[in-house]
Amino acid sequence: RKEVEQDPGPFNVPEGATVAFNCTYSNSASQSFFWYRQDCRKEPKLLMSVYSSGNEDGRFTAQLNRASQYISLLIRDSKLSDSATYLCVVSHNQGGKLIFGQGTELSVKP
Amino acid sequence: DAMVIQNPRYQVTQFGKPVTLSCSQTLNHNVMYWYQQKSSQAPKLLFHYYDKDFNNEADTPDNFQSRRPNTSFCFLDIRSPGLGDAAMYLCAAQKGTYNEQFFGPGTRLTVL
């Protein structure tokens, strides 16, 4: 079983749709949680960190449930430019090593 | 301005011919990472340096080596590339731990 598992994609949605990504992690020692975005043939870039209290950045909302070991990302009013692969990422106590999920591809259509 | 720079962006090598990929960073961050990412897969950590301390992942093949001569530069050496080593190689820099990792644009390696 992979340590970080995400919804299999791809997600194909129309502009303006709300889309939700789900992620689970198996290591209860995980301390830090992130969503990274990766455009086709580009490097991953941090989208947002995820906190237990939940956090919002414009159209993006991330939530963490430590008890269930579950992380989510909600994108409202999706734009064509949101098309990318979204990577769920966790980090353990042992330094800053990141464990990546396999990613979920999002395609937003006109 | 580029913060993590990787050269070359595209590298073609022959089966079994040693190849070196380069990474430099202008952030002065003390931690640097090398990842391998194959098509439609997650980045896979190969090793990282915390300052000068080298940390190898248990499943990183011996074929992969790394050097970090100073804070700014880090190299990935593949001693005898096989067809299965064709991938995107990503370098990242981080200040301490629990902070954002900044990735370079990657080097796409092709093995003929």
Side-chain angles (χ1 to χ4, degrees), chain A residues 38 41 43 93 96-97 101, chain B residues 33 37 42 57 98 101 104 108:
Chain A
Q38 187 170 27
R41 302 179 77 83
E43 72 274 23
N93 269 340
K97 175 179 166 179
Chain B
Y33 300 80
Q37 186 176 25
E57 292 301 297
Y98 309 119
Q101 286 190 18
R108 187 166 295 278

Side-chain angles (χ1 to χ4, degrees), chain A residues 1 3 24-33 64-70 90-94:
Chain A
R1 182 189 171 196
E3 188 169 341
T24 57
Y25 61 96
S26 60
N27 190 330
S28 58
S30 300
Q31 289 292 313
S32 302
F33 309 89
L64 167 66
N65 185 321
R66 285 186 183 269
S68 304
Q69 295 182 194
Y70 168 85
V90 305
S91 181
H92 299 161
N93 269 340
Q94 304 102 316

Side-chain angles (χ1 to χ4, degrees), chain A residues 31-94:
Chain A
Q31 289 292 313
S32 302
F33 309 89
F34 310 93
W35 284 100
Y36 274 72
R37 169 190 170 135
Q38 187 170 27
D39 291 288
C40 186
R41 302 179 77 83
K42 297 285 184 69
E43 72 274 23
K45 291 185 179 178
L46 180 67
L47 179 65
M48 57 198 306
S49 301
V50 189
Y51 306 110
S52 296
S53 55
N55 48 302
E56 187 173 309
D57 182 2
R59 297 181 294 109
F60 298 83
T61 301
Q63 295 202 312
L64 167 66
N65 185 321
R66 285 186 183 269
S68 304
Q69 295 182 194
Y70 168 85
I71 307 162
S72 66
L73 175 68
L74 187 74
I75 305 176
R76 292 181 299 278
D77 188 23
S78 52
K79 312 290 185 191
L80 297 177
S81 57
D82 294 334
S83 297
T85 295
Y86 290 82
L87 297 159
C88 176
V89 185
V90 305
S91 181
H92 299 161
N93 269 340
Q94 304 102 316

